[in-house]
C-alpha cells in the first residue's frame, strides 16, 4: 500500500510538468510564490473580508498538495480507524457511500481508502467529491490503482460552490451517503458562512438517520464552534470530540518520499494542533 507521501509525489510530478510547460525555468519560483501566497491567505481564515483561494492556478494546487495533503490524509485515516462506528462500517460487507466536502485536493479520499486497506475491506466504496474548483477533477481519477486498494473505488466529482444557489434535487446522491468527511474545510469557508448556510441546512435535513459526520480542522475554537453550530445536539449525537489535540502522521509516512521537491520547496506540514468532531445523525 502506497503511503500518503508516495502518492503525493506522483501527483506533484504531473502538476510540475504542467507548470514547467508554461513557466520553463521559472517554475520553481512560481511554486515558491504560490506557497507564500497560501501561507498568507490561510493566516487570515478568520477574517470576513478575505477572498476565496483560487485553486484554478496549477501552482496553487501544487503548493496545497505538497504542503498539506499527505499529513491531512494521514489524520483522516487514523481518526477514522480509531472511531468504532466508522471502523465497523468500513470493515463490513456493506456497500458504503462517502461524501467529501471540499474534497477536491483528495485528502479525505486518500485517508478513507487507506483506512479501508488497514481494515482489509473488500466491498465497493463510492465517493462523491464536492468542491468549488473543477480543476481538481482529474487529479484522483485513478486513485484506486495508485493506492492498490484491493476493492472497487468509484469517484463522482461534483464542481459545486456551496456559497451559491444550488438545485437540491441534483444533490440527492451525495446527500444520501453513509459517511460525510470534511478536512480543513469549515475554516476555509468560515468567512462565507452566511452564504453557505442554505447548503448546510439542506444537507442536515436530507441526511439519513445514523449517517456519520467527521470534521477535522485547526484547533481554533472559532472553527470548532462553527462546526458545532451546524451539527447541533438536537439533530446529532456527538460520538467523539477534541478541541486542540496534537496530530502526527503514523510512522510509515516519511516526508523524504517527496524527493527533490522536499529539497527545493522546504518542509511539508507534518504536525498539527487540531480540533475534530465525529457525529451520528439522530
Amino acid at each position: 500500500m502506497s503511503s500518503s507521501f508516495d502518492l503525493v509525489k506522483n501527483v506533484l510530478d504531473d502538476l510540475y510538468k504542467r507548470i514547467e510547460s508554461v513557466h520553463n525555468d521559472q517554475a520553481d519560483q512560481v511554486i515558491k510564490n504560490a506557497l507564500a501566497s497560501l501561507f498568507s491567505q490561510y493566516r487570515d481564515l478568520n477574517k470576513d473580508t478575505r477572498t476565496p483561494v483560487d485553486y484554478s492556478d496549477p501552482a496553487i494546487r501544487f503548493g496545497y498538495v505538497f504542503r498539506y495533503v499527505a499529513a491531512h490524509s494521514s489524520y483522516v485515516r487514523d481518526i477514522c480507524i480509531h472511531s468504532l462506528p466508522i471502523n465497523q462500517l468500513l470493515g463490513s460487507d456493506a456497500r458504503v457511500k462517502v461524501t467529501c466536502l471540499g474534497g477536491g485536493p483528495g485528502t479525505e479520499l486518500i485517508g478513507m481508502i487507506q483506512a479501508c486497506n488497514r481494515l482489509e475491506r473488500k466491498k465497493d466504496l463510492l465517493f462523491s467529491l464536492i468542491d468549488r474548483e473543477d480543476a481538481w477533477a482529474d487529479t484522483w481519477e485513478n486513485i484506486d490503482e495508485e493506492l492498490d486498494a484491493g476493492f472497487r473505488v468509484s469517484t463522482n466529482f461534483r464542481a459545486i460552490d456551496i456559497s451559491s444557489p444550488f438545485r437540491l434535487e441534483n444533490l440527492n446522491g451525495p446527500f444520501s451517503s453513509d459517511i460525510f468527511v470534511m478536512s480543513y474545510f469549515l475554516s476555509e469557508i468560515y468567512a462565507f458562512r452566511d452564504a453557505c448556510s442554505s447548503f448546510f441546512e439542506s444537507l442536515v435535513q436530507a441526511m439519513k438517520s445514523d449517517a456519520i459526520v467527521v470534521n477535522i480542522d485547526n484547533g481554533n475554537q472559532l472553527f470548532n464552534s462553527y462546526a458545532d453550530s451546524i451539527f447541533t445536539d438536537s439533530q446529532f449525537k456527538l460520538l467523539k470530540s477534541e478541541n486542540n489535540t496534537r496530530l502526527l502522521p503514523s510512522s510509515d509516512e516519511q516526508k523524504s518520499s517527496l524527493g527533490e521537491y522536499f529539497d527545493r520547496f522546504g518542509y511539508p506540514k507534518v504536525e498539527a494542533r487540531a480540533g475534530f468532531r465525529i457525529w451520528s445523525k439522530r
Side-chain angles (χ1 to χ4, degrees):
M1 179 178 67
S2 299
S3 73
S4 297
F5 280 107
D6 288 331
L7 185 62
V8 161
K9 172 62 163 58
N10 293 336
V11 173
L12 293 177
D13 286 343
D14 180 62
L15 283 169
Y16 190 85
K17 289 177 184 176
R18 300 185 194 187
I19 298 165
E20 190 176 37
S21 69
V22 175
H23 298 285
N24 301 310
D25 59 356
Q26 293 299 307
D28 282 16
Q29 187 58 53
V30 168
I31 291 169
K32 290 175 182 177
N33 293 342
L35 285 164
S37 175
L38 282 174
F39 177 80
S40 176
Q41 292 182 81
Y42 290 155
R43 186 178 53 197
D44 294 334
L45 288 176
N46 62 336
K47 294 183 178 179
D48 289 345
T49 55
R50 62 179 290 264
T51 57
V53 178
D54 181 11
Y55 293 105
S56 65
D57 182 348
I60 292 290
R61 296 201 304 279
F62 183 103
Y64 187 91
V65 173
F66 170 79
R67 188 76 80 202
Y68 301 107
V69 167
H72 289 182
S73 63
S74 182
Y75 305 160
V76 170
R77 177 191 65 200
D78 294 343
I79 287 171
C80 287
I81 285 175
H82 292 104
S83 168
L84 183 58
I86 300 176
N87 188 304
Q88 290 175 333
L89 186 57
L90 295 180
S92 72
D93 289 334
R95 184 171 181 264
V96 175
K97 294 173 63 178
V98 181
T99 290
C100 306
L101 299 177
T107 298
E108 302 88 345
L109 183 63
I110 297 171
M112 293 294 288
I113 292 177
Q114 289 182 328
C116 289
N117 281 339
R118 295 285 180 89
L119 297 169
E120 299 182 346
R121 181 175 177 81
K122 300 301 181 186
K123 296 296 182 178
D124 296 356
L125 201 64
L126 175 61
F127 284 94
S128 291
L129 309 180
I130 293 179
D131 199 282
R132 178 173 176 264
E133 179 50 63
D134 65 359
W136 290 113
D138 62 350
T139 304
W140 311 105
E141 184 176 3
N142 299 313
I143 188 69
D144 54 334
E145 296 177 9
E146 294 282 353
L147 278 172
D148 190 23
F151 55 90
R152 183 170 177 265
V153 177
S154 299
T155 57
N156 176 26
F157 188 93
R158 306 291 296 275
I160 296 171
D161 180 352
I162 71 167
S163 67
S164 299
F166 60 93
R167 295 180 65 88
L168 182 59
E169 61 269 26
N170 292 339
L171 291 169
N172 288 335
F175 281 7
S176 66
S177 286
D178 304 290
I179 304 173
F180 296 81
V181 190
M182 297 172 288
S183 173
Y184 291 82
F185 177 59
L186 292 183
S187 59
E188 185 145 355
I189 65 168
Y190 177 79
F192 322 106
R193 58 197 178 280
D194 290 342
C196 296
S197 60
S198 177
F199 175 89
F200 283 112
E201 289 168 4
S202 298
L203 170 65
V204 166
Q205 292 303 315
M207 289 170 62
K208 62 186 180 183
S209 179
D210 295 327
I212 297 172
V213 179
V214 181
N215 179 61
I216 307 169
D217 218 308
N218 72 53
N220 190 323
Q221 188 57 31
L222 189 70
F223 305 132
N224 292 330
S225 297
Y226 177 41
D228 293 335
S229 74
I230 297 171
F231 304 101
T232 60
D233 290 343
S234 62
Q235 295 179 289
F236 292 84
K237 179 181 179 181
L238 183 61
L239 304 179
K240 194 169 184 178
S241 173
E242 294 283 353
N243 284 335
N244 190 19
T245 189
R246 181 172 180 256
L247 296 179
L248 280 167
S250 55
S251 58
D252 62 338
E253 296 287 354
Q254 298 295 323
K255 58 183 179 293
S256 58
S257 298
L258 296 179
E260 69 270 21
Y261 302 127
F262 178 73
D263 296 329
R264 282 147 61 186
F265 303 119
Y267 280 77
K269 180 177 180 179
V270 178
E271 179 179 348
R273 302 298 303 186
F276 70 86
R277 303 280 194 274
I278 302 175
W279 293 276
S280 176
K281 178 76 180 292
R282 294 187 188 277

